[in-house]
Amino acid sequence: MLKVYAWSVCPHCHKTIAWLNEHKIPFEYLEIEEQPQEVIQKVVEVNGGDDWVVPTMEYNGQWRPGQVFDAARLEADMKAWGLL
């Protein structure tokens, strides 16, 4: 299942989650600040090693770093993962 590491106050996270819901893509929401240190460290690593950036996504071992919401890019990435 698609995992979405997000932060409750992040507007890009809210838009991404709304987009996933609209497209009926099932996902598990994971509040970044509530994750164990090893998960946070992996999210930091995926995002270049300085800090965590959200929304970061993981699906079947493939990672999508956190980024500004862009519907076209998100759609392309979900298609590439076979979720659309």
Side-chain angles (χ1 to χ4, degrees):
M1 175 174 286
L2 176 66
K3 294 181 180 180
V4 179
Y5 296 93
W7 190 28
S8 60
V9 298
C10 167
H12 300 290
C13 297
H14 289 279
K15 290 176 184 177
T16 297
I17 289 165
W19 189 94
L20 292 169
N21 284 326
E22 287 170 21
H23 290 83
K24 297 180 175 35
I25 297 174
F27 65 92
E28 179 181 3
Y29 175 93
L30 297 155
E31 182 68 28
I32 189 66
E33 293 188 320
E34 296 173 3
Q35 299 309 302
Q37 188 57 41
E38 61 271 11
V39 172
I40 292 172
Q41 189 55 46
K42 179 62 177 176
V43 171
V44 168
E45 177 186 316
V46 166
N47 286 285
D50 293 325
D51 202 356
W52 54 261
V53 180
V54 289
T56 296
M57 300 182 189
E58 185 269 327
Y59 182 71
N60 287 343
Q62 300 175 79
W63 288 84
R64 180 182 193 262
Q67 51 197 271
V68 173
F69 178 77
D70 178 320
R73 181 183 286 170
L74 181 57
E75 181 174 351
D77 290 345
M78 294 303 102
K79 283 181 179 177
W81 281 352
L83 294 171
L84 262 182

